[in-house]
Amino acid sequence: MWLVTTVVGSLWLVAASASHVGGAIFQRTTTAVMQPLTVDHQVAALQATTITYLFGAPLYVALLMAARRRLRENRLLDAVPHTGRRDRILAGLSRAAQRFSPAHRLLSRLVEKERKHRWVLTVLPFLISFVSANLLAQFYVTRLPFSAGNAITTLGPIAMAMAIAWRDDRKGLPLLLPLMSAVGAALMIPWGQRIDGVGVLAALCGAVSSAVMVSGGKAMAHAGILLKGTGLSMVAGLLLGAPSLLLVHWTGEVVVRGAVAGLLGVAGSALYWLAQAPLHLPKRLAGALSANGPALTSVVGLVVLGQGVGLVCMVGIATILIASLLNAALTGSEDEKAAEVAKYNY
């Protein structure tokens, strides 16, 4: 029985991990598929991103509507993440403004509105960062090697993980392993070669957007509306970028690449959901796999775009992979591990 349980448990983890990695590869391939169009100046970065939403958003929304009974996600209006810190800040501001009646009345109305529409503050950060990250990725990928741009972008979530570990006074492996991933990502940047400054700036902005998106995604996952929030982000990006499509010179290549990119984006989201919901991928393992972004991007750049991988870059990839494996194996409290076993047995 022990052997059977071990084998089945390993297959479960392998399937969940494979789905998560597959989703990450599909999401990165979405950007790579549209990259030749932006390099040849057939479309701008905004147009390429909007074209992807044009083909992906209707399919994603249709799948959500078809599976709404099985998803069991809350309505957007019911989205309420942890709000203790927010409530304390607003209460402090209200007390500070008590001596100034006009300011206190205005602040009281804002607090009342915020309590009625908390889904806005739940969805809005994720929505803005989702669209911004995709747009910036399509922009910097035309100016930097695909793996290098993603490596810079990944430094945002890694820095956030290190800051959280430092704040919570976890200065052992929880702080060291993200630092190791950051070193690996830095090794994937082509130092010593001519680097496009605008591309680096866009990638750094993408790092900030990615960090906000990760933070917003956690809040939305807690509120049980992550899939609906992703669909809303796609629709919002499509509406905001729709005017730019009027200037697109539509060709067969534009349509085919847009359709493929849209399908890949939706497929990536479906694989992420499969790993997180039915297969119950442990959160700490999902976090460790997410650190493999630059390594996966180098594979996509090599296969899809034909961009070579140098020796230093390979050392960076190996560093990231080792750090993520150690993170998955060595971190996590006993309570987290017990919860994972209980969820699997259930």
Side-chain angles (χ1 to χ4, degrees):
M1 287 298 297
W2 172 82
L3 180 60
V4 171
T5 302
T6 302
V7 171
V8 173
S10 299
L11 292 176
W12 157 67
L13 280 177
V14 168
S17 301
S19 297
H20 190 279
V21 171
I25 291 176
F26 277 21
Q27 292 286 356
R28 284 159 175 80
T29 308
T30 298
T31 304
V33 165
M34 298 299 290
Q35 191 254 12
L37 296 177
T38 53
V39 168
D40 295 338
H41 301 291
Q42 296 185 49
V43 294
L46 175 61
Q47 293 169 331
T49 305
T50 307
I51 290 172
T52 302
Y53 293 148
L54 176 64
F55 288 94
L59 177 59
Y60 191 91
V61 173
L63 289 176
L64 284 181
M65 294 178 64
R68 63 182 181 274
R69 292 183 179 178
R70 297 181 61 86
L71 292 177
R72 297 178 181 178
E73 282 206 333
N74 299 331
R75 297 187 308 157
L76 289 173
L77 296 178
D78 297 333
V80 181
H82 294 295
T83 59
R85 183 169 179 267
R86 187 193 309 174
D87 292 338
R88 289 193 298 271
I89 293 174
L90 291 175
L93 291 175
S94 180
R95 287 194 299 269
Q98 283 182 348
R99 297 182 179 180
F100 306 97
S101 297
H104 186 262
R105 285 196 299 270
L106 178 61
L107 186 59
S108 299
R109 291 177 182 175
L110 289 176
V111 170
E112 183 180 354
K113 292 288 184 183
E114 188 271 339
R115 288 178 178 173
K116 290 182 178 179
H117 305 288
R118 285 192 164 173
W119 67 272
V120 175
L121 292 181
T122 306
V123 176
L124 192 60
F126 180 84
L127 186 153
I128 294 175
S129 58
F130 180 93
V131 177
S132 299
N134 287 334
L135 177 60
L136 289 166
Q138 195 59 61
F139 179 80
Y140 69 67
V141 77
T142 63
R143 296 173 172 267
L144 299 172
F146 198 31
S147 58
N150 187 258
I152 296 173
T153 303
T154 309
L155 293 175
I158 290 176
M160 184 179 69
M162 293 173 62
I164 292 174
W166 184 274
R167 182 195 66 188
D168 296 341
D169 199 26
R170 294 184 293 123
K171 299 175 184 178
L173 288 176
L175 182 62
L176 177 61
L177 293 176
L179 178 62
M180 188 174 174
S181 296
V183 171
L187 290 175
M188 298 181 66
I189 302 172
W191 305 107
Q193 301 180 21
R194 183 177 180 181
I195 304 178
D196 186 276
V198 177
V200 171
L201 180 60
L204 289 174
C205 292
V208 177
S209 296
S210 297
V212 175
M213 185 167 62
V214 171
S215 177
K218 290 180 179 179
M220 289 172 59
H222 172 77
I225 56 160
L226 184 57
L227 292 174
K228 293 179 180 178
T230 302
L232 180 62
S233 299
M234 288 185 176
V235 172
L238 176 58
L239 293 177
L240 291 173
S244 69
L245 297 182
L246 299 175
L247 303 177
V248 173
H249 177 63
W250 292 94
T251 63
E253 183 183 11
V254 172
V255 173
V256 170
R257 288 186 176 275
V260 171
L263 288 173
L264 288 173
V266 173
S269 298
L271 286 174
Y272 274 138
W273 172 79
L274 181 65
Q276 294 167 4
L279 295 178
H280 302 296
L281 181 68
K283 290 182 179 180
R284 60 190 179 89
L285 183 56
L289 292 174
S290 298
N292 292 332
L296 297 174
T297 305
S298 65
V299 175
V300 174
L302 178 63
V303 175
V304 179
L305 301 176
Q307 296 178 349
V309 180
L311 178 60
V312 176
C313 185
M314 292 183 66
V315 172
I317 293 173
T319 303
I320 292 172
L321 293 177
I322 292 173
S324 64
L325 289 174
L326 292 175
N327 193 15
L330 301 179
T331 62
S333 65
E334 295 299 327
D335 292 339
E336 288 176 327
K337 296 177 181 178
E340 292 163 11
V341 173
K343 182 180 288 187
Y344 166 66
N345 291 334
Y346 174 77

